[in-house]
Amino acid sequence: TTMTINWVNLYQEGSRTVWYREAGNDEWKSKTGTHHQVVPSVYQVRRVELTGLKPDTMYEFSIGDKAAEDKKSIQKFRTMPAKLTRPLTFVNGGDTMHSRAYVDAMNTQAAKLDPSFAFIVGDIAYENGVLATRYFDWLQSWTKLMRGKDGRIIPIVVGIGNHEVRGHYNGRIPEDAPYFYGFFALPENRSYHALDFGNYLSLILLDSGHTHPISGKQTEWLTQALAQRKNQQFVFPAYHWPAYGTTKAAPGKLPSDHERSVEIRTNWISQFERFGVSAVFEHDHHTYKRTHPILEHKRNDEEGIVYLGDGAWGVNTRKPLTPNEAWYLAKSGDIRHLHCVTLHPEGRIEIKAYNADGKVFDQSTLTRARTRPRGE
């Protein structure tokens, strides 16, 4: 029932009004939103949150002081369904733009899948809290290419990564991540939060130490968030730095031995296992990975959680460890990719990995909506 319209330009003067209507309806409604400058850049963000919309409905909208008369200036979006009565698809990825050519190629393939939304978790434009112009490139690619088969703009849900932050970790808000916090509409202006769709889907976005510590308040919030969502059919946590990575290992060690990975495992994964989740998205390492089901840091094909990653939507890839080298890996590769996830009403989850040429190179099916809770 809600959609946020968020747009960026260079002009301090300009309309903050969105006109919108249900597709097929002649009568326009309007709502005026907010305006702010994304300091230290000169870029201007205007934002309107439309509420009280009909679920699973196509809307038309335009920006300006008057409703659009020229059809070419009218955009479209579609709201999510209130109930899961048919299969629903979304795409996930991270580490999206080393170059415009790379992000354009993957955005083109993602759009062909016609997802309900995209879920991008970290290292979006590689601006490092400094180069705001890279977001313009990224936003231009998204607006141009991320269109559904019916021409609608595909909505996005974003999480934070190290390349949104000056110094990458332990950043101050918003000084060290001015563009992530300035360009995107974040609940409570915080990088970790939850987004719910009816009683069938929750996305749990977490900050792997970039502007919030992993332990402490964030973990306390996570425990409460998972407890409040016991009755959600599907729950997908996502964050940037992986607990079960594929590269960046110290000599003689596995990536999962990294101190940040251990901290994530101790604080967050213990809660995923406690309450049960559908699967977990991790990124950062510029590879492809799918793990075996894991429980209590051991392979458990019947009861474990699958971890998907590792952040290679539109970047130069790295050579990962193989399944023979890391006990937790079921599949890995130096492949630019996206995850396409289809949720079925009965609880089945289909996961397909597509490369930049649009070819499926890995796929799996989870037969249960969530792992079994381990007690409280």
Side-chain angles (χ1 to χ4, degrees):
T1 58
T2 301
M3 186 68 73
T4 300
I5 311 295
N6 194 65
W7 69 100
V8 183
N9 59 30
L10 294 170
Y11 313 112
Q12 290 189 350
E13 300 299 324
S15 179
R16 296 181 289 115
T17 300
V18 166
W19 294 83
Y20 65 103
R21 66 186 180 186
E22 188 177 338
N25 193 329
D26 292 333
E27 183 179 351
W28 290 96
K29 298 179 181 179
S30 67
K31 187 172 182 179
T32 299
T34 62
H35 164 233
H36 66 272
Q37 181 174 329
V38 184
V39 177
S41 77
V42 297
Y43 295 136
Q44 312 292 316
V45 172
R46 290 168 175 84
R47 182 174 298 152
V48 175
E49 184 180 76
L50 302 179
T51 59
L53 305 174
K54 292 182 180 180
D56 201 14
T57 300
M58 185 74 75
Y59 282 85
E60 297 177 330
F61 74 96
S62 67
I63 295 166
D65 292 329
K66 296 181 179 180
E69 297 179 356
D70 181 3
K71 290 185 177 180
K72 292 182 180 179
S73 64
I74 296 174
Q75 308 285 346
K76 295 190 290 185
F77 66 80
R78 188 175 192 91
T79 54
M80 292 283 283
K83 296 181 180 179
L84 190 64
T85 58
R86 65 176 187 275
L88 181 148
T89 295
F90 67 90
V91 293
N92 170 267
D95 304 80
T96 61
M97 195 180 80
H98 269 176
S99 74
R100 181 65 184 266
Y102 284 170
V103 72
D104 281 359
M106 196 60 71
N107 286 354
T108 298
Q109 297 306 327
K112 290 178 181 179
L113 301 173
D114 201 31
S116 292
F117 65 91
F119 190 20
I120 304 297
V121 187
D123 290 7
I124 297 166
Y126 282 78
E127 35 77 24
N128 292 308
V130 178
L131 300 172
T133 53
R134 289 187 62 84
Y135 260 123
F136 251 46
D137 235 11
W138 188 89
L139 288 166
Q140 286 174 343
S141 177
W142 195 275
T143 304
K144 178 182 177 181
L145 299 174
M146 285 297 281
R147 302 275 178 163
K149 293 179 180 178
D150 46 20
R152 77 193 191 286
I153 295 179
I154 296 169
I156 184 172
V157 180
V158 296
I160 195 169
N162 54 294
H163 283 288
E164 275 74 60
V165 185
R166 296 173 191 164
H168 303 311
Y169 295 93
N170 305 314
R172 298 165 299 166
I173 302 171
E175 296 93 331
D176 292 326
Y179 305 126
F180 179 79
Y181 282 93
F183 281 133
F184 297 110
L186 304 171
E188 302 180 45
N189 197 36
R190 195 176 62 195
S191 57
Y192 63 91
H193 55 86
L195 184 61
D196 303 315
F197 301 93
N199 63 1
Y200 63 89
L201 173 61
S202 291
L203 307 178
I204 308 288
L205 289 107
L206 298 168
D207 181 331
S208 47
H210 310 295
T211 58
H212 290 278
I214 291 167
S215 60
K217 290 183 178 180
Q218 185 174 190
T219 294
E220 292 170 4
W221 172 87
L222 172 63
T223 301
Q224 294 174 356
L226 290 171
Q228 292 166 358
R229 289 163 177 81
K230 292 179 182 178
N231 296 324
Q232 289 292 86
Q233 186 178 15
F234 301 98
V235 174
F236 290 93
Y239 45 88
H240 192 65
W241 179 273
Y244 290 102
T246 47
T247 62
K248 299 187 177 182
K253 299 284 189 178
L254 290 175
S256 59
D257 295 324
H258 189 285
E259 60 183 12
R260 190 173 296 109
S261 300
V262 173
E263 187 178 8
I264 289 170
R265 193 161 64 245
T266 301
N267 287 274
W268 296 351
I269 291 177
S270 60
Q271 300 309 307
F272 302 161
E273 294 177 350
R274 174 183 174 186
F275 291 100
V277 298
S278 302
V280 178
F281 296 109
E282 309 182 316
H283 299 290
D284 185 75
H285 283 189
H286 300 187
T287 67
Y288 175 77
K289 76 123 182 268
R290 173 173 55 85
T291 72
H292 295 292
I294 300 168
L295 177 66
E296 296 179 345
H297 201 46
K298 297 177 182 178
R299 178 175 173 176
N300 187 319
D301 292 345
E302 298 298 323
E303 299 283 345
I305 297 170
V306 172
Y307 296 79
L308 302 164
D310 256 354
W313 184 287
V315 294
N316 297 320
T317 58
R318 300 185 178 107
K319 185 174 179 59
L321 295 181
T322 68
N324 290 332
E325 295 171 309
W327 61 266
Y328 48 81
L329 292 177
K331 178 84 171 182
S332 65
D334 53 343
I335 307 167
R336 285 193 293 277
H337 69 276
L338 61 83
H339 298 282
C340 181
V341 181
T342 301
L343 309 178
H344 293 267
E346 73 275 13
R348 181 165 49 93
I349 305 171
E350 288 183 298
I351 305 165
K352 295 182 179 180
Y354 287 81
N355 65 18
D357 294 325
K359 296 179 180 179
V360 176
F361 65 89
D362 188 31
Q363 55 187 316
S364 59
T365 299
L366 304 178
T367 57
R368 60 359 176 219
R370 296 174 67 167
T371 54
R372 181 173 63 87
R374 310 301 294 182
E376 300 181 25

